[in-house]
Amino acid sequence: METLTWGNFKARLEANPELHLQFQYEEGKLADTSFHITEIKLAPITSVDCGGVMNKWTEVIVQLWEPGEKQAERSMKVNKALSIIAVVEQMLPLDGDAIVKIEFGNSQFDTRQMFPADITVAGDTLTVNLTPDFVQCKAQTRGGSCGTNDKGEECCAPVEKPTIKLVNLVTQTDACCTPGGGCC
């Protein structure tokens, strides 16, 4: 799946400031119109995968919250979300190339971080369609496999370079190039 960068996500919002903003977290299920953007997190990630490879990336995580009681008949407008983003960016510069995630949960949906998979405009509403995040094995994305093979060897383990033992090397004394001979 291709992820959306923070810069591209923000540009989509800036292109539609007067529309109502909505988030679809499951097919046919939208965040309540009373949702709030409670915080925006900048998360630099550094990890070492099962193959011993270090990975680094940055995420911008927008957290949504539904209050216990309905507070609005219509969802917030995009320009209100942009004003929250402006307040955050005055204090915390957000990396435009970072992966954007939306963090959401309610009483019927466990809190999770999801990717904005598609952003659509219909009438006066801009809807951000969310898709679940997923676990992956980075060794597989590099062409390896995950787990153990039929011999019980770890497939993701760092590859050991074979040691080559040089034996029975015979040198010819009449060779034109010899160490210290000046021909090379």
Side-chain angles (χ1 to χ4, degrees), residues 168-175 177-179:
N168 296 330
L169 294 178
V170 179
T171 61
Q172 295 181 351
T173 56
D174 60 346
C177 290
T178 59

Side-chain angles (χ1 to χ4, degrees), residues 93-106:
L94 299 175
D95 180 354
D97 293 328
I99 296 168
V100 66
K101 290 185 177 178
I102 308 298
E103 186 173 74
F104 174 78
N106 61 24

